Amino acid sequence: MEAVDVVIVGAGPAGLATSACLNRLSIPNIVLEREDCYASLWQKRAYDRLKLHLAKEYCELPFMPFPSDAPTFVPRRGFIDYLHSYVSHFRINPRCYTAVESAYHDEESGKWHIKAKKADLNVHEEYVAKFLVVATGENSEGFIPEVSGLDSFGGEFIHSSKYENGQKYKGKAVLVVGCGNSGMEIAYDLSNWGVKTSIVARSPVHVLTTNIVYIGMRLLSFGVPCNIVDFIVVLLNKLKHGDISNYGFPRPTRGPFYIKQRVGRTPTIDVGAVEKIRRKEVQVFPSIRGIQGSKIEFANGEVKQFDAIIFATGYKSTVRHWLKGGQDLFDGSGMPKLCFPNIWKGKNGLYCSGFARRGLLGISVDSQNIAKDINLALRSERVSIGIPDARVC
């Protein structure tokens, strides 16, 4: 059994940022990661052409800006290099191949007990900590919805986290389910590879360009009210794309930034897919009604045949697989009950980072708040027992 002040579960950007903030305050912490590397979603489960969809100043982790020569929209490889530098600079040492199997708060000792399995050595380990930070995030496990007849589909179907590029699908008919950022970018990439590409638009969505989103975020940072910003970006988008509902994408009744602030759902960033849809190089369908063999029936009654399906249908939290208790912070689906900006703190020294649905900027805010709060708690504890505190505020 190993005792430490803080155990952080998850070595994605949220876990790394929290560890960095704690290290700056000289607070001992251990980062546990089930995969064989940190930031596995970026290193192992992201498609080749992925870029950060927001400008780099909105994607920095605490206390380290991107290099001045980095492009405004940083590509996947550049972000991975940034994370490598971040880990090295802040001396973060994640313990990989370590899958947490259970964590519970012991009322008698007032500490968290964490049990984990070290997969590479096939041994079990146990940790005791005053504080537990859940940093597995909302993107812990790919989600594929239940679709009638999916088990009968004769071709390949995968989650978007398994997609790399469209090379192996050349000449085939592929259906992408979901018109969020991953879905639209994968559809664009497939079309560039000469794939017969179709996409399912299941619900209303705002589709904006990176530049229009950047304008909106800058206006918000200057204090322009959200409703005015939404009016401006929707107007600019109409001038750019026209009415995209004509292409099968119904537009939400509320503005993109209002929706982002209220429910955390981001607008879709267009990387070129809309133009391909306009030129009918990518076909748009409504929701799937059912699948029979290689034939897929859609909600409008159309039936088409496909060789493969890529589900860009999001992710789900796995917190409830291993966390015992913590009902004050997490609901039954493993997502926080609280609303932004007070989403990061529960009771008994339980925290979460990376669940605010505000991307890397939200992670930066969460991690700094958590480190400050833990530092304050430890300083108060030391003062109460008469130990001088030399930690930096």
Side-chain angles (χ1 to χ4, degrees):
M1 183 182 297
E2 185 172 355
V4 68
D5 282 346
V6 187
V7 165
I8 301 168
V9 182
L16 299 178
T18 304
S19 181
C21 292
L22 292 169
N23 287 347
R24 290 184 78 251
L25 296 170
S26 301
I27 298 174
N29 64 91
I30 293 173
V31 183
L32 305 179
E33 169 57 49
R34 69 183 180 184
E35 301 290 343
D36 61 355
C37 63
Y38 54 83
S40 63
L41 183 63
W42 286 91
Q43 295 207 59
K44 298 173 60 179
R45 292 182 285 153
Y47 44 93
D48 293 347
R49 61 162 287 112
L50 177 64
K51 290 184 179 181
L52 295 177
H53 291 121
L54 299 180
K56 60 184 179 182
E57 59 261 42
Y58 299 107
C59 298
E60 295 171 347
L61 297 184
F63 310 111
M64 179 179 280
F66 282 97
S68 58
D69 59 350
T72 301
F73 299 97
V74 179
R76 170 177 171 254
R77 186 68 255 172
F79 186 62
I80 292 172
D81 289 342
Y82 169 79
L83 291 177
H84 289 329
S85 298
Y86 195 83
V87 167
S88 175
H89 180 77
F90 291 107
R91 299 180 181 179
I92 305 166
N93 186 29
R95 299 188 181 185
C96 297
Y97 286 114
T98 306
V100 172
E101 296 183 335
S102 69
Y104 69 92
H105 186 261
D106 180 62
E107 297 296 334
E108 185 174 343
S109 66
K111 295 183 178 181
W112 287 92
H113 289 247
I114 302 99
K115 294 182 180 180
K117 183 177 181 180
K118 190 76 171 170
D120 54 339
L121 300 176
N122 196 29
V123 297
H124 285 83
E125 300 175 337
E126 189 168 350
Y127 303 87
V128 177
K130 297 176 183 177
F131 307 96
L132 176 65
V133 181
V134 179
T136 50
E138 58 191 298
N139 297 333
S140 184
E141 183 176 281
F143 172 71
I144 294 180
E146 291 185 10
V147 179
S148 177
L150 180 59
D151 56 348
S152 74
F153 185 67
E156 175 191 44
F157 68 89
I158 62 170
H159 186 264
S160 58
S161 60
K162 304 293 184 184
Y163 179 83
E164 296 179 356
N165 58 60
Q167 184 172 14
K168 71 174 184 178
Y169 299 108
K170 277 185 179 180
K172 295 182 179 180
V174 178
L175 178 67
V176 180
V177 181
C179 57
N181 284 316
S182 294
M184 289 286 274
E185 189 155 5
I186 288 172
Y188 175 79
D189 190 55
L190 287 167
S191 180
N192 285 342
W193 282 97
V195 179
K196 302 168 189 173
T197 308
S198 299
I199 189 169
V200 168
R202 300 183 298 164
S203 56
V205 62
H206 286 288
V207 183
L208 310 175
T209 66
T210 53
N211 288 331
I212 290 175
V213 170
Y214 182 71
I215 290 170
M217 295 189 73
R218 293 292 290 170
L219 290 173
L220 288 172
S221 71
F222 291 137
V224 179
C226 183
N227 62 324
I228 295 176
V229 174
D230 276 339
F231 176 81
I232 292 170
V233 299
V234 169
L235 178 61
L236 290 173
N237 202 53
K238 282 184 178 179
L239 293 173
K240 172 67 176 177
H241 290 313
D243 186 356
I244 65 169
S245 63
N246 294 331
Y247 308 124
F249 295 103
R251 200 182 76 198
T253 55
R254 292 288 198 163
F257 288 100
Y258 174 88
I259 293 173
K260 175 65 176 173
Q261 290 182 1
R262 293 289 294 178
V263 300
R265 189 169 68 248
T266 60
T268 296
I269 310 299
D270 178 48
V271 295
V274 171
E275 182 59 30
K276 285 184 171 290
I277 291 166
R278 183 184 286 118
R279 297 199 303 256
K280 302 188 184 303
E281 295 174 19
V282 174
Q283 194 169 0
V284 180
F285 289 100
S287 298
I288 296 173
R289 181 176 292 168
I291 299 174
Q292 187 172 7
S294 60
K295 294 181 179 178
I296 298 178
E297 181 181 1
F298 298 95
N300 62 0
E302 286 191 72
V303 177
K304 297 288 183 180
Q305 190 164 321
F306 292 93
D307 301 300
I309 307 172
I310 299 171
F311 285 93
T313 44
Y315 293 81
K316 60 183 179 181
S317 167
T318 59
V319 172
R320 281 294 165 214
H321 294 179
W322 53 269
L323 180 63
K324 314 303 177 187
Q327 286 86 353
D328 60 296
L329 184 58
F330 291 100
D331 62 20
S333 67
M335 292 298 291
K337 290 180 176 180
L338 305 176
C339 297
F340 184 84
N342 301 313
I343 197 172
W344 50 274
K345 183 179 180 181
K347 297 177 180 177
N348 300 319
L350 179 64
Y351 301 88
C352 68
S353 180
F355 289 86
R357 293 192 173 104
R358 278 170 165 74
L360 293 163
L361 183 61
I363 285 172
S364 181
V365 173
D366 286 348
S367 58
Q368 292 179 75
N369 283 335
I370 291 168
K372 289 175 183 176
D373 198 70
I374 290 175
N375 187 43
L376 179 62
L378 289 173
R379 292 181 68 201
S380 298
E381 177 186 283
R382 292 168 67 88
V383 170
S384 69
I385 60 177
I387 299 176
D389 183 29
R391 285 189 179 131
V392 178
C393 296

